[in-house]
């Protein structure tokens, strides 16, 4: 034994990387996984504590695939990284088909394209960072900026058939709060929650992400639209870093090992549409915990390059008391230009330009150094900033929710009656009304 590692001898040529074994201990058997090899010995890491393991303890290898057996009876349940129930609701039923924890994504040439617009229930996202069915996006935020609150809003309001929530390395107290306060009884009915808290072994934290993804793949294969929320990819990467360093991998960027950057695309690419000709899809939103408010740190940079868009939460906006603290100018959806009509894209582009014009002069405006009338474009941006900020705070219709109105100066009787082809509200029409009404007031 050395740190978190256990060296196992006597099985040369009989076991492979990722194989499972159980080591006899005083309190029973300790499950482990092979994470490497050295000097003819297998290097194993435990899924639990190593207390009670003695020198020369017997190791028993398990000849079975690392998989789970999800089924529709998992809806409304909370499971751990082994796929076992932890919610005191009785035995968790098992499905007939096994789903491997580390499956490959559908081949790129056989994969369906992303679908139409998806109502996330948050106006700022629906309008400025439009998400489509089957799209994968990241929520980038430092600690204490409202990341968990936004995930709760998405879980309650998104128009999806099934929600799979992966809580990877989160605080233990947040699990019950998220289920009872954010999801609620109605939300839990259509959800599966997979949880591994921060005090659990790195193998369990990493495996919780795989279990959440495999569960989402099962429901996608049933022809359902699945919303996968994972909080957070950063802690998945940290768990893989601990495993890699223990196995002797050299550290690379900020201590992260090469396998971290190899495992990230293998996990994230599994989300998205299924095979061409099938109906199911996985729309995934992965939370990324930005270290030290540095959005260019290694994990943020790697994840941003893999996903189809990013939602940036800004500490300065949160400190002003505006939630969700979405920085619209720094957020981007790569699928948005194609899913919007030309007219809708023009409205959104204009609104972004007004926000950018205000942001460029924000410091002078707050100091009172800008004189109204100096620049007509800045004057218009100042007049529009209030209504657009109010609009960004409001939620959309979401699932079973009524639309909230825009400020009096920025709405018309017809603005919220406009609907998209899917029957969901067209939020860009509301922005157009805000731009038109407030510009007229400014003149």
């Amino acid at each position: 034994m050395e740190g978190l590692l256990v060296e196992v001898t006597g099985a040369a040529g009989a076991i492979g990387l990722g194989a499972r074994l159980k080591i006899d201990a005083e309190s029973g058997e300790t499950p482990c996984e092979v994470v490497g090899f050295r000097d003819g010995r297998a290097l194993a890491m435990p899924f639990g504590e190593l207390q009670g393991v003695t020198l020369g303890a017997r190791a028993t290898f398990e000849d079975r695939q690392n998989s789970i057996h999800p089924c529709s009876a998992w809806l409304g349940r909370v499971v751990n990284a082994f796929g076992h129930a932890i919610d005191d609701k009785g035995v968790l039923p098992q499905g007939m088909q096994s789903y491997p924890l580390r499956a490959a994504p559908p081949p790129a040439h056989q994969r369906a394209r992303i679908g139409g617009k998806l109502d996330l229930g948050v106006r700022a996202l629906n309008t400025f960072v439009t998400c489509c069915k089957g799209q994968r996006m990241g929520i980038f935020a430092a600690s204490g900026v409202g990341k968990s609150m936004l995930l709760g809003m998405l879980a309650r309001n998104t128009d999806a058939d099934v929600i799979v929530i992966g809580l990877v390395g989160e605080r233990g107290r947040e699990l019950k709060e998220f289920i009872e306060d954010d999801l609620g009884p109605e939300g839990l009915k259509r959800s599966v929650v997979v949880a591994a808290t921060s005090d659990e072994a790195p193998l369990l934290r990493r495996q919780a992400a795989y279990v959440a993804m495999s569960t989402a793949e099962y429901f996608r294969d049933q022809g359902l639209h699945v919303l996968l929320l994972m909080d957070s990819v950063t802690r998945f990467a940290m768990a893989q870093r601990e495993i890699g360093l223990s196995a002797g991998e050299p550290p690379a960027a900020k201590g992260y090992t090469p396998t971290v950057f190899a495992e990230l695309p293998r996990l994230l690419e599994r989300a998205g549409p299924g095979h061409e000709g099938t109906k199911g899809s996985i729309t995934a939103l992965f939370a990324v915990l930005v270290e030290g408010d540095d959005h260019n740190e290694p994990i943020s940079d790697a994840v941003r390059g893999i996903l189809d868009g990013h939602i940036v939460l800004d500490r300065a906006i949160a400190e002003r008391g505006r939630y969700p603290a979405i920085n619209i100018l720094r957020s981007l959806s790569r699928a948005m230009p194609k899913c919007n009509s030309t007219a809708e894209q023009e409205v959104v582009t204009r609104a972004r330009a007004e926000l950018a014009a205000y942001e460029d002069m924000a410091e002078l405006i707050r100091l009172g150094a800008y004189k109204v009338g100096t620049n007509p474009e800045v004057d218009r941006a100042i007049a529009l900033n209030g209504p657009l900020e109010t609009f960004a705070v409001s939620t959309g219709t979401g699932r079973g929710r009524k639309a909230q109105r825009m400020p009096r100066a920025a709405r018309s009787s017809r603005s919220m009656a406009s609907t998209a082809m899917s029957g969901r509200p067209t939020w860009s029409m509301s922005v157009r009304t805000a731009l038109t009404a407030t510009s007229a007031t400014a003149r």
Side-chain angles (χ1 to χ4, degrees), residues 252-291:
K254 281 200 172 181
Y256 288 102
T257 56
T259 54
V260 172
F261 301 100
E263 286 297 325
L264 281 173
R266 290 174 187 163
L267 174 69
L268 304 181
E269 284 287 348
R270 290 168 63 182
H275 285 81
E276 194 170 7
T278 59
K279 294 182 179 179
S281 64
I282 301 174
T283 302
L285 286 104
F286 300 97
V288 180
L289 183 62
V290 179
E291 294 187 33

Side-chain angles (χ1 to χ4, degrees), residues 172-230:
R173 68 167 181 81
E174 290 185 340
L175 176 60
K176 198 166 185 179
E177 291 178 2
F178 186 88
I179 293 172
E180 294 180 354
D181 300 341
D182 295 328
L183 271 182
E186 291 301 316
L188 185 59
K189 285 181 182 179
R190 60 181 183 129
S191 304
V192 180
V193 180
V194 182
T197 54
S198 59
D199 61 313
E200 297 188 62
L203 279 179
L204 285 175
R205 283 179 270 139
R206 184 186 69 173
Q207 185 162 299
Y210 293 138
V211 170
M213 186 63 73
S214 296
T215 304
E217 288 173 333
Y218 163 77
F219 287 105
R220 179 186 65 190
D221 292 347
Q222 309 310 304
L224 300 174
H225 173 228
V226 183
L227 175 67
L228 172 64
L229 302 175
M230 188 173 294

Side-chain angles (χ1 to χ4, degrees), residues 78-343:
V78 183
V79 302
N80 62 12
F82 288 114
H84 299 157
I86 55 174
D87 54 6
D88 298 326
K89 293 184 179 180
V91 178
L92 186 70
Q94 299 295 305
M96 298 296 293
Q97 185 177 357
S98 67
Y99 275 75
L101 296 184
R102 305 184 73 167
H109 65 285
Q110 297 178 5
R111 198 164 204 173
R113 299 184 64 171
I114 60 174
K117 293 181 183 181
L118 174 66
D119 187 358
L120 297 176
V122 181
R123 281 186 178 175
L125 299 182
N126 285 342
T127 304
F128 296 101
V129 200
T130 307
C131 181
C132 297
K133 290 184 178 179
Q135 190 172 348
R136 303 161 306 160
M137 299 187 71
I139 300 175
F140 293 78
S143 58
V145 185
K147 170 172 50 67
S148 298
M149 187 197 74
L150 179 57
L151 288 172
M153 294 174 66
L154 296 171
R156 289 193 306 270
N157 301 328
T158 301
D159 186 22
D161 299 318
V162 173
I163 300 175
V164 177
I165 302 166
L167 301 178
V168 181
E170 287 299 297
R171 305 174 187 89
R173 68 167 181 81
E174 290 185 340
L175 176 60
K176 198 166 185 179
E177 291 178 2
F178 186 88
I179 293 172
E180 294 180 354
D181 300 341
D182 295 328
L183 271 182
E186 291 301 316
L188 185 59
K189 285 181 182 179
R190 60 181 183 129
S191 304
V192 180
V193 180
V194 182
T197 54
S198 59
D199 61 313
E200 297 188 62
L203 279 179
L204 285 175
R205 283 179 270 139
R206 184 186 69 173
Q207 185 162 299
Y210 293 138
V211 170
M213 186 63 73
S214 296
T215 304
E217 288 173 333
Y218 163 77
F219 287 105
R220 179 186 65 190
D221 292 347
Q222 309 310 304
L224 300 174
H225 173 228
V226 183
L227 175 67
L228 172 64
L229 302 175
M230 188 173 294
D231 187 10
S232 67
V233 172
T234 304
R235 292 193 172 103
F236 166 83
M238 289 177 174
Q240 181 61 49
R241 177 174 63 182
E242 290 182 50
I243 296 167
L245 291 174
S246 295
E249 273 194 86
K254 281 200 172 181
Y256 288 102
T257 56
T259 54
V260 172
F261 301 100
E263 286 297 325
L264 281 173
R266 290 174 187 163
L267 174 69
L268 304 181
E269 284 287 348
R270 290 168 63 182
H275 285 81
E276 194 170 7
T278 59
K279 294 182 179 179
S281 64
I282 301 174
T283 302
L285 286 104
F286 300 97
V288 180
L289 183 62
V290 179
E291 294 187 33
D293 286 313
D294 179 10
H295 286 262
N296 294 317
E297 55 92 18
I299 298 303
S300 298
D301 197 46
V303 172
R304 191 165 49 243
I306 298 168
L307 300 180
D308 307 318
H310 47 271
I311 301 164
V312 176
L313 303 187
D314 196 312
R315 186 178 300 278
I317 295 175
E319 288 172 348
R320 296 204 305 263
R322 197 255 272 172
Y323 287 96
I326 301 168
N327 188 320
I328 293 172
L329 296 176
R330 296 180 63 186
S331 301
L332 173 72
S333 170
R334 292 190 174 99
M336 182 174 172
K338 292 184 179 180
C339 70
N340 277 348
S341 66
T342 303

